[in-house]
Amino acid sequence: MELTSSALVYLVAGLTLLALTATVLLWPRLAGRHPLQILGRIGLLTVSQLLALAVCALTLNAAYGFYSSWHDLLQPTGGQLALGPAGPGARSGPPVGDALVRPTTEGGLDQVTDLPQGKPEEVGQISSIRVNGKESGLSDQMFIYLPPEYFNPKYARERFPVLLTLAGYPGPALHLLSELHTPQTAWDLQRTGRMAPTVVVMARPTVAAPRNTECVDVPGGPATETWFAKDLPNALRSAYRVSRSPASWGVLGYSTGGSCALRLALRDPGSYGSAAALHADYQVPEDWSTGDLFGGSRQLAQGYDLAWRLQNLPVPKSHLLLVSTRTEEDYAATQQFLATASSTAQAHPDLTVDSLFLPDGGHSFDTWRRELPASLEWLSDHLSPAPDREPRAG
């Protein structure tokens, strides 16, 4: 039973009701001062309260995805990597023992009921996979959508562009399917010719749950930037027919995921050539969810300040899209960063900056769903067709 499943919440809630009922019924019998009666009362209260707390914890975790699976909860971050076969849609490649991607039942894919239905060669395929990183030592569950063309023999030698999509904090990767409707929207755009056939990867920025590492390499801690910039592309290239060119890789995210998207495009242009950020922040915060990510180092923190980078460091070749609303709390900050980025782009043709602002909307899935189709179309226009092909057999 999945950690985030409703069935588990209902089960524990039922056990809580049974424990409370047992407490009411047995309390008169345990009202004396005998040591066993005292221990019985303590036991009933303890079990009832622990079960009630478990219901609250499971409900919050199901809603916000602090831990997306039992694997997250029970295995310490950076532990031994569990390597296995390459997973659905995998091409011939490394031996099974060296695979960095394997299929998994984690993540709650069975909870999403409105996914495209049909044969893979007609509607594509969505799978849950676990990816393991060699350099960072991190491991996480995510989803991958392979377009119908991936299964068409006509495209057997083609490599496909890749779009990494990132959820917010502390949301699970499942929110990209169940709430944002990412693969559903991508399929609709691709079948109507508004988006090129693209492999869409759906992940969360919270690789080192439950801490919010904001996709940075934490000194002495999780190397989250390395995970997204190096490990994830390398792992996917080992298992799927995807492009090796950064110009064919893009990243989209909302909220914290949008902040990560911009950082990856500006700090790691050798991995991602374009980014669309929905309602992002432009500096790494220091709050209850992050702690001090840079160990007090002003220099490290400055390196992740996006406006400072554009004004003081070499400007990368990158395409950026800033998306928000005119009623969003961070509208002024977005306008300020947009002004800086646009000014920099005028002097550096390798950098392009576009923006999309809705007249209203807040920090919510209702707004992000409205912004998603135009953002995906923009990214498709800026993802270069994969220049590389699979070698001929033999």
Side-chain angles (χ1 to χ4, degrees):
M1 192 176 293
E2 284 291 325
L3 181 62
T4 56
S5 68
S6 299
L8 181 60
V9 176
Y10 294 145
L11 173 62
V12 178
L15 292 175
T16 304
L17 289 175
L18 288 175
L20 290 173
T21 302
T23 300
V24 172
L25 295 176
L26 296 175
W27 197 264
R29 300 183 183 182
L30 300 173
R33 296 185 178 181
H34 190 279
L36 290 178
Q37 292 175 313
I38 295 173
L39 288 174
R41 293 198 299 272
I42 293 173
L44 287 173
L45 290 173
T46 300
V47 170
S48 298
Q49 291 184 19
L50 287 176
L51 285 171
L53 287 173
V55 171
C56 295
L58 288 169
T59 301
L60 285 172
N61 188 67
Y64 295 106
F66 294 100
Y67 298 96
S68 65
S69 66
W70 293 107
H71 182 281
D72 278 347
L73 182 63
L74 301 177
Q75 178 171 306
T77 300
Q80 176 104 20
L81 298 183
L83 305 181
R91 63 173 177 82
S92 58
V96 167
D98 294 335
L100 300 174
V101 180
R102 63 178 175 83
T104 180
T105 58
E106 300 172 77
L109 184 60
D110 57 338
Q111 300 175 35
V112 186
T113 58
D114 62 344
L115 298 175
Q117 299 297 315
K119 298 178 181 178
E121 58 270 24
E122 296 174 350
V123 300
Q125 178 177 281
I126 301 170
S127 304
S128 176
I129 57 174
R130 175 161 285 275
V131 178
N132 302 288
K134 281 187 174 180
E135 291 198 36
S136 67
L138 296 171
S139 174
D140 204 19
Q141 178 272 334
M142 60 191 66
F143 302 99
I144 186 166
Y145 166 73
L146 303 174
E149 289 80 3
Y150 191 91
F151 303 94
N152 188 331
K154 178 181 174 181
Y155 297 88
R157 293 185 56 226
E158 300 298 323
R159 297 183 189 268
F160 290 81
V162 178
L163 175 59
L164 169 65
T165 59
L166 295 173
Y169 174 86
L174 187 66
H175 280 174
L176 290 158
L177 293 83
S178 62
E179 306 297 333
L180 192 61
H181 301 164
T182 304
Q184 299 92 320
T185 306
W187 155 243
D188 185 60
L189 293 174
Q190 291 184 35
R191 71 181 179 84
T192 55
R194 290 176 288 166
M195 183 177 180
T198 303
V199 171
V200 181
V201 181
M202 292 151 278
R204 58 174 182 164
T206 320
V207 186
R211 190 180 187 186
N212 178 13
T213 56
E214 289 280 336
C215 300
V216 310
D217 281 352
V218 181
T224 319
E225 181 179 6
T226 298
W227 159 258
F228 282 115
K230 296 181 179 179
D231 286 340
L232 182 56
N234 288 339
L236 294 176
R237 285 169 180 146
S238 76
Y240 299 96
R241 299 196 318 273
V242 294
S243 176
R244 302 181 184 279
S245 168
S248 302
W249 283 65
V251 55
L252 173 149
Y254 62 86
S255 192
T256 298
S259 307
C260 290
L262 291 176
R263 291 188 196 110
L264 290 169
L266 290 177
R267 288 180 53 88
D268 303 284
S271 299
Y272 301 94
S274 56
L278 283 58
H279 302 234
D281 291 320
Y282 308 100
Q283 293 180 327
V284 176
E286 182 176 339
D287 57 24
W288 65 269
S289 69
T290 63
D292 181 4
L293 292 172
F294 304 111
S297 170
R298 183 174 178 273
Q299 182 178 5
L300 283 178
Q302 202 170 47
Y304 285 95
D305 182 328
L306 301 182
W308 184 89
R309 289 189 66 86
L310 288 176
Q311 293 172 318
N312 295 276
L313 296 179
V315 177
K317 182 176 183 179
S318 188
H319 306 293
L320 307 180
L321 174 66
L322 307 182
V323 183
S324 192
T325 68
R326 302 187 189 282
T327 55
E328 174 66 282
E329 280 187 25
D330 70 349
Y331 178 65
T334 300
Q335 286 291 311
Q336 184 177 357
F337 179 75
L338 177 61
T340 299
S342 298
S343 175
T344 303
Q346 289 179 1
H348 299 83
D350 282 345
L351 177 69
T352 62
V353 182
D354 293 312
S355 61
L356 169 64
F357 293 99
L358 296 183
D360 55 52
H363 210 75
S364 67
F365 284 108
D366 286 339
T367 301
W368 297 327
R369 281 194 296 268
R370 290 161 56 201
E371 298 164 340
L372 182 63
S375 301
L376 289 176
E377 285 192 61
W378 181 93
L379 276 162
S380 183
D381 290 341
H382 290 81
L383 287 176
S384 299
D388 41 8
R389 305 185 76 194
E390 287 282 291
R392 291 187 181 275

